[in-house]
Amino acid sequence: MEDFRRTYLLLCKEGGVEPQESVVAQLQESRAGQRSRLDLSGQSLSADTCSVLARALQKDTVFTEVSLSDCMLTEEGAKMFLTGLFANTTIKVLDLKGNNLRSAGAEVLGKLLARNKTLRRLVLEWNALGVWDEAFSLFCDGLGSNNTLTQLDLRNNQISHRGASELALALKRNGTLEVLDLRWNNIGLLGGRSLLEAIQKNKSVVQLEMAGNNIPGDTLKALEQTVGYNTDRKSTLRESHSRTHVLSKEIQTLKEEKGRQFLSLMETIDRQREEMGRSNRSTSFQIGQLQEALNERKSTVNSLTAKLQMTEAALALSEQKNHSLGEVLSQLKAEKEELREQQSRERKKEREDRALREEKLHREIQNLTEINGQLKNKVEEMERRCKSQQQQIFELKQELTNSTAELKLRLTQAEDRLETEKRRSKQALEDMDGLRQKEEEHVSALEEKLRSVRSSLQEVQLHNSQQKNTISELQAKNSQQSVEADGLRRRMEELHQELSGKDQEKAAEVSRVRVELQEQIGRLQAERTAQEGLKEKISALERELKVLSSNHREALLDKESQMSSMMERLRLKEAEIQRIREDEANRASYLQSAVLAYVQGSRLGQYGSPKK
């Protein structure tokens, strides 16, 4: 607020304008108050002050609410002030109550509404915008092209039915205005009908004040019903948007969860592949070592076979020394037993290692089956959620049927009201019949009196001219009574005509109510089609979920087939390793027999050398 005061004083100095003391004092008082509200209500602002304020507010980014109510702005001052707000991007509330704005103010307000994109609430109470039709039509053009204003106060602006027609055209094009106050104008029947037609096409207005405009009660009631329908429609749209937003969020979370589960599954499969590769590399390395050992032993066996061929010549001589080699044979047997025990221990150890590997693989398979079961449970949970969503859709359909039943109930109530009106008209006709019977009885009584007079006249024909005068008076009374009877007959005809006019009005009202009900039914059908579109979207999402679940199941089946093929390969590798071990055991036995034969031949040579 202090910065704005300094800017105001600086602009006054630059423009050569004397700062208005009341404005400076008001800015000084409100400096410690609300910082986002500029309140100059009740200050008599000159045109120069309005120009300086417009220049200050043109680039201001602090104030969101400006109040200039009862400031007695001139046409020039209002024009300059509102022109300065064209480029403002922060003011959302503007109060111009009681400034007697006329044609120029209405034109500038129309331009402001057409250019400004931040104004949300505009108060124009106690002005004269509706006096000049052309200026008010420009204001209405600006309102029609505006797409940010939500509240407009036009109370006591002398708006006629022509201005109401222009305002109705603006409302047909505007789609953001929610609250409109038109109380205490001179809109009349024609203006009310124009506004009713516009509100029926406009779906954004949820509050409309129309008191004090000389509008018939049925038009006001129709306007209230239309605004109520807009309110209900907006609430249902808000609920449907919230529900679709919640459903989209749930679907997104489910997709993310499925993606995370799929990534975790792929990571576990990659880890298992790495472990299998490491195990395959270790087994291939062991097989290479065994192959090298076999090659070495093969070379030794070849050398031993060569030596064996060399010692075959001396074998005949060694047969004589068998008895002396008993102890050597027993030692060799003991060594053989030790070798057998060592080989059995190695085989046992290898079997234990293989059993441990098999147990590890079984545990991994069990873990994978548990993960698969968890995924299946989550898929079932997704199906349950889909069922719950279908249940919600069924509840929405039930609400739609309830609303249609309520509309039918309203139709029956309208028909009941029509029946009551008919009964009232019948009662009025019966009352008229009673009046007619009473008049006929009165006429008959008069006729009886006339007959009595005539009889008395016959009886007293001998009397004087005085009795003739009485007879003439009675005849005059009779003529007067006949005139009264004719008047009563004409009155009855008029009443019959009024009753027929009332019947026609009731028929027109019933037809209008039927047309309104048909329009409401059409709107409900449109909403039903929109709900069916939502249902189709939900079914499409369900199909996508089913496709994703089927793809996930296929991926799981592929991984299980890969696991089974890898287990088969492992089994084949183990069988090959077992066959290699058996070959090694056979070769070791052959080598052992050769070594024994060699050792026997060498010892026989040692024993035979001293005899020579």
Side-chain angles (χ1 to χ4, degrees):
M1 187 66 73
E2 182 65 25
D3 294 338
F4 184 77
R5 189 176 70 84
R6 291 198 195 96
T7 304
Y8 171 71
L9 295 174
L10 180 62
L11 291 174
C12 288
K13 186 177 180 181
E14 290 177 356
V17 178
E18 185 69 25
Q20 196 166 338
E21 294 181 359
S22 59
V23 175
V24 176
Q26 184 66 27
L27 293 174
Q28 187 72 25
E29 289 177 1
S30 59
R31 182 171 58 183
Q34 296 180 356
R35 296 187 178 182
S36 63
R37 187 172 188 269
L38 177 61
D39 190 1
L40 297 176
S41 301
Q43 305 294 331
S44 181
L45 303 179
S46 63
D48 295 333
T49 303
C50 291
S51 176
V52 173
L53 287 174
R55 291 172 60 193
L57 290 172
Q58 191 171 7
K59 296 181 180 180
D60 182 71
T61 59
V62 176
F63 294 115
T64 60
E65 184 177 353
V66 176
S67 178
L68 297 181
S69 61
D70 301 322
C71 289
M72 299 299 292
L73 299 178
T74 62
E75 290 285 321
E76 184 180 359
K79 185 175 181 180
M80 288 189 291
F81 179 77
L82 293 173
T83 305
L85 297 181
F86 285 173
N88 186 277
T89 58
T90 57
I91 293 176
K92 296 182 180 180
V93 180
L94 179 59
D95 189 356
L96 296 175
K97 173 184 175 183
N99 284 291
N100 197 21
L101 298 178
R102 296 177 181 271
S103 60
E107 293 177 3
V108 179
L109 281 170
K111 293 178 182 178
L112 174 65
L113 291 176
R115 296 183 184 181
N116 190 283
K117 304 299 180 184
T118 58
L119 196 61
R120 298 289 185 273
R121 183 169 179 261
L122 181 60
V123 179
L124 299 172
E125 184 183 359
W126 285 105
N127 286 291
L129 299 178
V131 175
W132 288 270
D133 295 334
E134 294 180 357
F136 192 70
S137 67
L138 294 175
F139 171 77
C140 293
D141 290 338
L143 178 62
S145 60
N146 184 275
N147 56 2
T148 57
L149 191 69
T150 59
Q151 297 181 17
L152 179 60
D153 190 352
L154 291 174
R155 288 178 288 177
N156 291 293
N157 268 277
Q158 302 180 20
I159 299 173
S160 62
H161 65 277
R162 298 188 190 89
S165 300
E166 295 291 335
L167 189 61
L169 293 175
L171 289 176
K172 289 179 181 179
R173 292 187 289 126
N174 187 286
T176 58
L177 190 65
E178 296 179 357
V179 179
L180 179 60
D181 196 345
L182 294 173
R183 288 179 288 181
W184 310 111
N185 286 292
N186 193 17
I187 292 174
L189 175 61
L190 297 177
R193 289 179 178 175
S194 301
L195 289 173
L196 176 60
E197 183 180 358
I199 293 298
Q200 287 175 353
K201 294 181 179 180
N202 184 293
K203 305 300 180 184
S204 62
V205 177
V206 297
Q207 183 178 351
L208 179 64
E209 300 293 339
M210 297 292 294
N213 280 288
N214 297 323
I215 299 174
D218 56 349
T219 306
L220 288 175
K221 190 173 181 181
L223 284 169
E224 291 178 358
Q225 290 177 355
T226 306
V227 172
Y229 174 73
N230 287 342
T231 305
D232 297 337
R233 180 178 176 276
K234 195 163 187 179
S235 62
T236 53
L237 284 174
R238 194 181 297 112
E239 290 177 359
S240 64
H241 283 311
S242 63
R243 289 178 180 175
T244 52
H245 184 64
V246 170
L247 289 174
S248 62
K249 279 187 176 180
E250 289 183 357
I251 291 167
Q252 188 66 28
T253 53
L254 290 173
K255 285 183 179 179
E256 292 176 356
E257 187 177 357
K258 285 290 182 182
R260 288 195 296 271
Q261 291 175 359
F262 183 72
L263 290 174
S264 64
L265 182 62
M266 292 299 293
E267 288 176 357
T268 54
I269 291 169
D270 292 335
R271 286 198 297 272
Q272 290 175 0
R273 283 181 178 176
E274 290 177 358
E275 291 178 358
M276 292 293 291
R278 287 196 295 271
S279 63
N280 289 329
R281 286 194 293 273
S282 62
T283 52
S284 63
F285 181 70
Q286 291 177 0
I287 290 168
Q289 289 179 352
L290 291 172
Q291 190 69 33
E292 290 176 357
L294 284 173
N295 292 328
E296 290 176 358
R297 290 182 182 179
K298 189 181 286 185
S299 62
T300 55
V301 167
N302 291 328
S303 64
L304 287 172
T305 52
K307 290 179 181 180
L308 185 61
Q309 289 175 1
M310 291 172 65
T311 56
E312 282 179 354
L315 186 61
L317 298 173
S318 63
E319 291 178 354
Q320 299 175 0
K321 300 178 181 179
N322 287 329
H323 298 289
S324 61
L325 294 174
E327 294 177 359
V328 177
L329 286 173
S330 62
Q331 290 177 359
L332 289 172
K333 286 180 181 179
E335 289 176 359
K336 187 177 180 181
E337 290 293 329
E338 288 176 358
L339 287 172
R340 285 181 180 176
E341 289 176 359
Q342 186 176 1
Q343 288 178 358
S344 65
R345 284 195 297 273
E346 289 177 355
R347 290 177 182 175
K348 187 175 181 182
K349 187 175 180 182
E350 288 174 355
R351 288 175 183 174
E352 289 175 355
D353 293 334
R354 187 173 61 191
L356 289 173
R357 288 178 183 175
E358 289 178 353
E359 287 178 358
K360 186 176 180 181
L361 289 172
H362 282 302
R363 285 196 298 272
E364 290 177 353
I365 291 167
Q366 288 177 358
N367 291 327
L368 288 173
T369 53
E370 289 176 357
I371 292 170
N372 191 9
Q374 291 176 0
L375 290 174
K376 288 180 179 178
N377 291 328
K378 289 182 179 179
V379 169
E380 292 176 355
E381 186 177 358
M382 285 291 298
E383 292 176 352
R384 287 195 296 274
R385 288 184 180 178
C386 290
K387 289 181 180 178
S388 65
Q389 291 174 0
Q390 291 177 358
Q391 184 65 28
Q392 291 178 359
I393 291 167
F394 177 74
E395 290 176 357
L396 288 172
K397 289 182 179 179
Q398 190 67 29
E399 290 178 358
L400 183 60
T401 54
N402 292 330
S403 62
T404 54
E406 186 177 357
L407 287 174
K408 291 180 180 178
L409 182 60
R410 290 181 181 175
L411 181 60
T412 55
Q413 289 177 358
E415 291 178 352
D416 292 336
R417 288 198 294 250
L418 181 61
E419 290 294 331
T420 54
E421 290 295 330
K422 286 183 178 180
R423 285 196 294 273
R424 288 177 184 174
S425 62
K426 288 181 180 179
Q427 186 66 32
L429 286 172
E430 290 177 357
D431 294 337
M432 291 301 296
D433 292 333
L435 289 172
R436 187 177 62 189
Q437 289 176 1
K438 287 180 180 179
E439 291 296 330
E440 288 177 354
E441 289 177 357
H442 185 63
V443 170
S444 62
L446 290 173
E447 289 177 353
E448 289 178 358
K449 287 181 181 180
L450 185 59
R451 285 195 296 271
S452 63
V453 168
R454 285 178 181 175
S455 62
S456 62
L457 183 60
Q458 289 176 1
E459 290 177 356
V460 292
Q461 285 179 355
L462 301 176
H463 289 278
N464 306 7
S465 59
Q466 185 178 1
Q467 290 181 351
K468 289 180 180 180
N469 291 329
T470 56
I471 290 169
S472 61
E473 290 176 359
L474 288 173
Q475 287 177 354
K477 287 181 180 180
N478 189 9
S479 62
Q480 187 178 0
Q481 290 293 329
S482 63
V483 169
E484 289 178 357
D486 292 334
L488 288 173
R489 289 191 186 92
R490 286 194 295 274
R491 180 62 179 166
M492 287 175 66
E493 290 176 356
E494 289 176 358
L495 289 172
H496 282 297
Q497 290 178 359
E498 289 179 0
L499 287 174
S500 63
K502 287 183 179 180
D503 291 334
Q504 291 177 358
E505 289 178 357
K506 293 298 179 182
E509 186 177 359
V510 169
S511 63
R512 185 176 60 80
V513 170
R514 286 179 181 174
V515 168
E516 290 178 356
L517 289 174
Q518 288 176 359
E519 290 177 355
Q520 291 179 358
I521 290 167
R523 295 190 189 105
L524 290 173
Q525 288 177 356
E527 291 180 358
R528 185 177 181 183
T529 55
Q531 289 178 358
E532 288 178 356
L534 291 173
K535 184 178 179 182
E536 290 177 358
K537 289 180 181 179
I538 292 168
S539 63
L541 292 173
E542 289 177 354
R543 287 194 294 273
E544 288 180 1
L545 286 174
K546 288 180 181 178
V547 169
L548 289 173
S549 62
S550 64
N551 293 331
H552 185 65
R553 288 173 183 171
E554 290 177 358
L556 287 175
L557 292 174
D558 293 335
K559 296 299 179 183
E560 288 178 357
S561 63
Q562 290 178 2
M563 288 293 295
S564 62
S565 63
M566 291 175 71
M567 290 293 291
E568 185 66 24
R569 289 179 185 176
L570 184 62
R571 187 179 61 77
L572 294 174
K573 290 287 183 182
E574 288 180 352
E576 187 176 357
I577 291 168
Q578 185 67 27
R579 183 177 59 77
I580 291 169
R581 285 176 180 171
E582 290 177 355
D583 293 339
E584 285 293 322
N586 293 328
R587 289 177 182 175
S589 63
Y590 293 153
L591 181 61
Q592 186 179 0
S593 62
V595 169
L596 289 174
Y598 175 73
V599 170
Q600 288 176 1
S602 63
R603 290 191 177 182
L604 286 172
Q606 288 176 2
Y607 283 113
S609 60
K611 289 181 180 181
K612 291 179 180 180

